[in-house]
Amino acid sequence: MTRLFSARGWIALAAFAAALLLVVPVLALVVPQGSALHLSQYWVGLCGKFLCYAIVALAMDLVWGYAGILSLGHGLFFALGGYAMGMYLMRQIGLDGVYHSPLPDFMVFLDWKAYPWYWSFTEHFWYCAALVVLVPGLLAYVFGWFAFRSRIKGVYFAIITQALTYAALLLFFRNDTGFGGNNGFTDFKRILGIPIATPQMRVVLFMLSAGALIGSLLLARWLVSSKFGRVLAAIRDAEPRVMFCGYNTEHYKLFVWTLSAVLCGIAGALYVPQVGIINPSEMSPANSIEIAIWVAVGGRGTLVGALLGAFAVNGAKSFFTQAFPEIWLYFLGLLFVLVTLFLPQGVVGALRLLRRGKPAPAA
Amino acid sequence: MSSMAYSTALDSSPPSGEAVYGRMASEGLDTSHGAILYLDDISVSFDGFKALNKLSLSIDVGELRCVIGPNGAGKTTMMDVITGKTRPDEGTAFFGQTIDLARLSEAQIAQAGIGRKFQKPTIFEQHTVFENLELAMKSDKRVRRTLFARLSSEARDRIAAMLERVGLAGAAERVAGLLSHGQKQWLEIGMLLMQEPRLLLLDEPVAGLSDDETERTAELFLTLAGKHSLVVVEHDMAFIARIARKVTVLHEGSVLAEGPHEQVQADARVIEVYLGR
Ligand SMILES: Nc1ncnc2c1ncn2[C@@H]1O[C@H](COP(=O)(O)OP(=O)(O)O)[C@@H](O)[C@H]1O
Ligand SMILES: [Mg+2]
């Protein structure tokens, strides 16, 4: 029977979980400031951000690596989850905004007198938490329903997802849309009434992100090692054969596509309180392409590769954008070209190849 | 999903054997008139070019029918129409008396009991041989079932038996992409049989096989006939001669000749079509 992980896999996962859920909190909160081992708020925030990206990478790997559906619009689902959480965080500002109005500053600025209808109930945490899941999920479901029914595939599908996220970008850019225009949401003060910018809250958010990542990894691993996962991979490799075996492949694609969007939404919701801002740039087509690059670099269809890719590329990005901001995009482009040419199965694929010492069947 | 109510008319005389007939009725396929597949005046055109031109054909229950014809005659297109891949511009296709194939999706047609082997062997190259058969096996193929599906020991036994039957018992855990061409052809046939189809469509099943493999394929098909209905498209005339009972010759999208193998072989028009090229 297929097990979820090998013994070594479980040990690695337990070590990863312990590092995130024990070591990081201790280094950040217990080890005193000034000690060489102390983890500053900056680092906790940065690592927490990476954890959210890693969830997105996993979600991407599920659809691209396993079902063969290349999405270049996953940033949209991430951003929508972020905006849903952002609405709640805006409500939590209360009267502490610049204008001391119950409305967010940007609405005061627009001379709006009341919240528009679609902001109803957003003062309730659980309502917004539901939106985090439902908005990306529903959008993905409806979009996927039409796309998969019409049998849109490959490059065409990827281009349409780019168009979708771009259209959303333009929509959210407008002030009249009611989501803060190009500034988006920022200046958050509290979450559940608790101040948001404290070291303790940062660690809590970090641990929640770590929990969500580990949960996503277990879920994804369970999915791909079930018969469902084998059907997905079969769809990726020979969809007509799967249909003529009696599987309705649309349903399979729609399920994994929607699930993937929901995971992105959750990641976005955890991301926003940690970085303290959400704006339409998260929906830019380039952002979604970057997500695909993380997975390509790490290795498609491996899950672990998606995690590694997200950490490695974003680590490099943090370094470059500080040290040599002007060359980051060239570096990213070069990385993508090199990986495509020399590591078509990504880092993890190449490592497996080395270990086995013989070529694996092409992905 | 396949919520269509197939009426099961239990009238008239069973055709080729009580046992076979009983099972069919229980599965909702009405073959009370002895035929399992009816194609009636089917036309398909691609950009004005008629790939099928008023094609009519019927296949009896348990029959092994060979379909031959020059390249481009429309043989593959005919299979595409039967399996729902291509929708006919005109004409009707019925599975049994009651199932209108035009109203079903590819997956529903497969579930109704039509299995298909492609001209180019199509298997799941990255899955193991065992997994290929597992995925093909007749089962509830809805998402929520496959999420929680577990292989019963009975299912394992059936897969093991099929591995034996298609000569891949030693290769169960091999990645299917690493099989030889002949093994891939046989794996695909094994996958087809795992679906327990009533009607098998086999598009050039011995293309690229060695003489020995071809002979074993012929034997296999002969044992399948009767339990299943088979439509075999082939170019290999020796193979046709080995298995043929009734032969249909397609030419330019319609039936040129049909009858017992010897009769068709002697038909002047058939000779002209084949030798004229
Ligand atoms: N999808 C398609 N688009 C355009 N022409 C097609 C298509 N499929 C088949 N044809 C044409 O229809 C004719 C019949 O093809 P096919 O059924 O594959 O023949 P056969 O299998 O008998 O060799 C050929 O001339 C082929 O070029
Ligand atoms: Mg053909």
Side-chain angles (χ1 to χ4, degrees):
Chain A
M1 209 61 245
T2 37
R3 288 167 308 161
L4 220 45
F5 289 103
S6 64
R8 277 179 48 201
W10 279 115
I11 293 170
L13 181 70
F16 182 62
L20 295 179
L21 295 172
L22 290 173
V23 178
V24 168
V26 167
L27 294 187
L29 297 179
V30 181
V31 174
Q33 279 190 30
S35 156
L37 286 176
H38 175 74
L39 206 56
S40 72
Q41 277 201 46
Y42 168 79
W43 280 102
V44 174
L46 189 72
C47 294
K49 208 167 95 168
F50 286 8
L51 295 179
C52 298
Y53 289 151
I55 297 174
V56 176
L58 275 182
M60 179 69 159
D61 199 23
L62 277 179
V63 291
W64 188 27
Y66 287 91
I69 305 165
L70 173 57
S71 164
L72 294 179
H74 258 44
L76 173 59
F77 304 125
F78 178 77
L80 289 175
Y83 267 99
M85 177 55 72
M87 288 167 96
Y88 170 75
L89 296 174
M90 291 308 276
R91 290 283 201 149
Q92 284 270 301
I93 294 173
L95 299 175
D96 295 341
V98 176
Y99 302 106
H100 304 292
S101 151
L103 293 183
D105 292 343
F106 72 85
M107 289 191 193
V108 178
F109 197 74
L110 289 172
D111 208 20
W112 290 7
K113 301 295 177 222
Y115 279 104
W117 62 268
Y118 46 84
W119 276 76
S120 314
F121 312 115
T122 50
E123 68 273 27
H124 304 294
F125 178 78
W126 289 112
Y127 177 78
C128 285
L131 287 186
V132 163
V133 169
L134 291 178
V135 172
L138 268 178
L139 177 68
Y141 186 86
V142 171
F143 175 83
W145 193 84
F146 283 107
F148 299 138
R149 249 185 103 86
S150 322
R151 309 224 164 146
I152 295 170
K153 289 186 189 138
V155 168
Y156 300 99
F157 186 89
I159 289 172
I160 297 176
T161 55
Q162 278 267 284
L164 184 72
T165 193
Y166 189 61
L169 169 87
L170 295 180
L171 178 70
F172 275 69
F173 222 71
R174 295 178 54 228
N175 286 327
D176 292 343
T177 308
F179 294 110
N182 64 342
N183 296 318
F185 303 152
T186 189
D187 286 331
F188 308 132
K189 308 272 191 250
R190 280 171 289 269
I191 183 165
L192 294 168
I194 307 164
I196 205 167
T198 62
Q200 287 79 5
M201 185 49 98
R202 281 195 174 275
V203 169
V204 167
L205 290 169
F206 175 90
M207 290 173 75
L208 284 174
S209 308
L213 174 60
I214 291 165
S216 306
L217 180 61
L218 289 173
L219 174 72
R221 184 69 203 171
W222 174 72
L223 273 180
V224 302
S225 48
S226 70
K227 184 176 177 189
F228 174 85
R230 290 192 284 284
V231 176
L232 275 193
I235 291 174
R236 173 195 66 199
D237 297 339
E239 184 167 359
R241 171 41 82 213
V242 183
M243 290 196 292
F244 293 122
C245 279
Y247 294 93
N248 189 333
T249 56
E250 279 163 39
H251 292 178
Y252 282 79
K253 292 197 276 190
L254 193 53
F255 180 88
V256 75
W257 171 252
T258 306
L259 177 77
S260 178
V262 167
L263 289 179
C264 289
I266 293 170
L270 289 163
Y271 172 87
V272 167
Q274 297 187 79
V275 299
I277 182 166
I278 173 78
N279 63 34
S281 71
E282 296 295 343
M283 298 175 181
S284 78
N287 260 32
S288 292
I289 293 174
E290 257 185 57
I291 297 170
I293 295 179
W294 305 340
V295 177
V297 168
R300 271 176 291 159
T302 59
L303 298 182
V304 177
L307 296 188
L308 288 182
F311 292 138
V313 177
N314 282 297
K317 182 176 185 174
S318 296
F319 170 75
F320 272 98
T321 44
Q322 274 177 10
F324 318 99
E326 60 287 344
I327 68 164
W328 162 243
L329 274 181
Y330 296 104
F331 175 79
L332 187 67
L334 184 70
L335 182 71
F336 189 58
V337 171
L338 290 179
V339 164
T340 313
L341 285 180
F342 299 110
L343 298 176
Q345 307 195 48
V347 174
V348 169
L351 288 178
R352 283 189 183 169
L353 233 149
L354 277 180
R355 217 168 54 199
R356 261 191 249 139
K358 60 170 193 260
Chain B
M1 299 292 297
S2 52
S3 56
M4 289 188 61
Y6 307 131
S7 60
T8 46
L10 292 165
D11 59 348
S12 72
S13 54
S16 55
E18 293 285 346
V20 178
Y21 177 68
R23 206 177 125 216
M24 285 160 198
S26 68
E27 288 183 7
L29 181 67
D30 174 11
T31 52
S32 53
H33 295 295
I36 192 164
L37 180 76
Y38 299 88
L39 300 182
D40 192 26
D41 263 349
I42 299 267
S43 294
V44 171
S45 42
F46 296 112
D47 309 319
F49 170 77
K50 284 216 158 171
L52 292 182
N53 189 3
K54 294 194 175 299
L55 173 71
S56 296
L57 190 75
S58 90
I59 307 292
D60 285 341
V61 173
E63 186 183 351
L64 193 172
R65 174 75 61 92
C66 291
V67 176
I68 61 173
N71 258 327
K75 305 181 296 292
T76 299
T77 307
M78 177 188 79
M79 296 202 166
D80 289 345
V81 167
I82 299 169
T83 53
K85 186 169 176 231
T86 299
R87 299 291 164 184
D89 302 325
E90 281 166 54
T92 53
F94 269 82
F95 187 42
Q97 300 297 314
T98 51
I99 300 178
D100 182 356
L101 294 173
R103 290 169 54 193
L104 302 185
S105 69
E106 291 99 320
Q108 287 170 323
I109 290 173
Q111 282 166 4
I114 299 182
R116 170 179 194 179
K117 193 198 154 320
F118 291 95
Q119 189 165 342
K120 179 174 166 289
T122 314
I123 53 172
F124 306 130
E125 305 245 337
Q126 308 230 21
H127 293 68
T128 64
V129 169
F130 184 93
E131 287 168 343
N132 269 269
L133 295 179
E134 177 210 3
L135 291 181
M137 183 163 50
K138 184 170 180 152
S139 59
D140 191 332
K141 288 176 171 167
R142 284 173 296 180
V143 171
R144 70 188 107 108
R145 289 283 179 274
T146 54
L147 278 172
F148 303 100
R150 297 216 150 248
L151 267 184
S152 65
S153 62
E154 191 248 329
R156 286 180 172 278
D157 291 347
R158 281 177 43 214
I159 294 174
M162 186 59 69
L163 284 166
E164 201 69 54
R165 194 165 179 193
V166 295
L168 290 169
E173 294 307 319
R174 283 192 81 184
V175 175
L178 300 175
L179 296 179
S180 73
H181 176 77
Q183 286 175 317
K184 286 182 184 174
Q185 292 271 38
W186 273 62
L187 175 58
E188 194 177 3
I189 293 172
M191 290 168 71
L192 224 59
L193 294 176
M194 289 308 287
Q195 293 176 50
E196 299 177 24
R198 300 293 311 282
L199 171 65
L200 283 91
L201 307 175
L202 300 133
D203 203 348
E204 308 201 9
V206 296
L209 293 193
S210 68
D211 288 350
D212 181 45
E213 288 167 330
T214 302
E215 172 55 25
R216 284 194 297 145
T217 309
E219 277 164 25
L220 175 66
F221 288 2
L222 290 170
T223 63
L224 292 175
K227 286 193 276 312
H228 306 264
S229 312
L230 284 83
V231 176
V232 181
V233 162
E234 248 316 328
H235 273 309
D236 182 338
M237 292 312 264
F239 181 74
I240 298 284
R242 174 80 173 79
I243 63 169
R245 295 154 191 191
K246 196 169 172 186
V247 175
T248 299
V249 185
L250 285 196
H251 179 53
E252 293 177 351
S254 17
V255 175
L256 178 73
E258 189 167 277
H261 179 232
E262 306 76 31
Q263 182 192 320
V264 165
Q265 225 177 5
D267 189 304
R269 288 171 306 164
V270 175
I271 294 171
E272 194 197 310
V273 164
Y274 262 106
L275 301 182
R277 306 217 149 204

